[in-house]
Amino acid sequence: MNTNRLSTTICEALNNQMTKEAHAAQIYLAYGSWADANGYQGISNFLFRHANEERNHMMKFLEYILERGATVRVQAIPDPGPNPTGVFDCFKKTFEQEVGNTEAIYKIVKQSFDEADWATWNFLQWFVKEQTEEETLVMNMLDKIKIAGGEKASDESLYSIDRDLGSTDDEAELARDKTVEAP
Ligand code: OFO
């Protein structure tokens, strides 16, 4: 009896997404190392924490594929690419990478909808929300750096941003989660 509950296309998409999450973790690791080497310990901590989050996302995909009786295919992780050229570039690249990941997840949401695979569709909703949070978080960071002068931000303002980031919450608050009682 066949106990595999994923179609070949969905299984392949989920396996590819698992690798994308691992790739995201490598990018955060590389940028975190770059930040530390350049004296930005707050930014480095923030990026290292996110590397862990991305690894957890990778595990969520792996566990889901196994839960559905399908086959996990662990693939090579692509190189994270060149280091950022500065703090602004670091968060610009991070934002682009998050948007790319969101788009990849949306594609699988659409695929699962088209195939009426409601279990996978439901599983992916957690990621849809997570990506919104992550995009907002990085967007907020980019806004702060832009106010400080973007690529031309002074060492002094980058010092303050770096210090504040050491104690920043990793979760972005979403407006849609607000209620009248808890605005
Ligand atoms: Fe996996 O959440 Fe970002 O990319």
Side-chain angles (χ1 to χ4, degrees), residues 47-83:
L47 295 169
F48 283 152
R49 292 199 300 271
H50 273 272
N52 272 344
E53 280 202 21
E54 297 297 351
R55 196 172 181 284
N56 288 340
H57 297 169
M58 177 199 78
M59 286 304 295
K60 267 185 189 282
F61 277 99
L62 183 146
E63 279 161 8
Y64 178 73
I65 297 167
L66 291 177
E67 242 173 46
R68 302 300 288 151
T71 306
V72 164
R73 198 163 41 85
V74 175
Q75 309 169 61
I77 306 168
D79 190 280
N83 276 336

Side-chain angles (χ1 to χ4, degrees), residues 21 24 28 53-54 57 97-98 101 127 130-131 134:
E21 301 292 339
Y28 278 110
E53 280 202 21
E54 297 297 351
H57 297 169
Q97 117 76 28
E98 286 301 339
N101 210 17
F127 283 94
E130 179 71 6
Q131 283 307 121
E134 292 194 339

Side-chain angles (χ1 to χ4, degrees), residues 157-182:
S157 52
L158 289 179
Y159 174 81
S160 320
I161 289 174
D162 182 65
R163 189 196 47 210
D164 294 350
L165 208 52
S167 51
T168 297
D169 199 338
D170 287 349
E171 310 289 319
E173 287 200 59
L174 299 182
R176 71 174 186 221
D177 292 337
K178 302 283 183 202
T179 60
V180 178
E181 288 78 32

Side-chain angles (χ1 to χ4, degrees), residues 5-164:
R5 301 287 290 125
L6 295 179
S7 73
T8 314
T9 43
I10 292 281
C11 182
E12 194 185 339
L14 292 173
N15 269 295
N16 289 343
Q17 188 59 36
M18 188 180 91
T19 309
K20 268 194 193 306
E21 301 292 339
H23 185 220
Q26 296 296 85
I27 291 172
Y28 278 110
L29 272 186
Y31 291 6
S33 306
W34 167 85
D36 186 274
N38 283 279
Y40 302 115
Q41 267 77 37
I43 294 176
S44 166
N45 269 331
F46 172 86
L47 295 169
F48 283 152
R49 292 199 300 271
H50 273 272
N52 272 344
E53 280 202 21
E54 297 297 351
R55 196 172 181 284
N56 288 340
H57 297 169
M58 177 199 78
M59 286 304 295
K60 267 185 189 282
F61 277 99
L62 183 146
E63 279 161 8
Y64 178 73
I65 297 167
L66 291 177
E67 242 173 46
R68 302 300 288 151
T71 306
V72 164
R73 198 163 41 85
V74 175
Q75 309 169 61
I77 306 168
D79 190 280
N83 276 336
T85 53
V87 173
F88 182 69
D89 186 50
C90 174
F91 283 96
K92 188 173 138 287
K93 283 196 165 100
T94 303
F95 182 68
E96 286 164 358
Q97 117 76 28
E98 286 301 339
V99 171
N101 210 17
T102 302
E103 280 165 7
I105 284 167
Y106 285 0
K107 262 193 199 155
I108 322 176
V109 171
K110 166 91 172 56
Q111 236 175 317
S112 60
F113 185 92
D114 291 344
E115 289 192 22
D117 177 349
W118 305 121
T120 300
W121 185 90
N122 185 50
F123 163 74
L124 289 169
Q125 296 313 302
W126 184 90
F127 283 94
V128 171
K129 186 172 183 218
E130 179 71 6
Q131 283 307 121
T132 312
E133 279 179 12
E134 292 194 339
E135 283 184 16
T136 303
L137 195 63
V138 183
M139 230 184 261
N140 292 345
M141 277 307 305
L142 270 177
D143 285 345
K144 283 199 182 88
I145 303 166
K146 273 186 204 154
I147 291 168
E151 271 162 20
K152 294 192 177 72
S154 67
D155 287 347
E156 220 179 342
S157 52
L158 289 179
Y159 174 81
S160 320
I161 289 174
D162 182 65
R163 189 196 47 210
D164 294 350

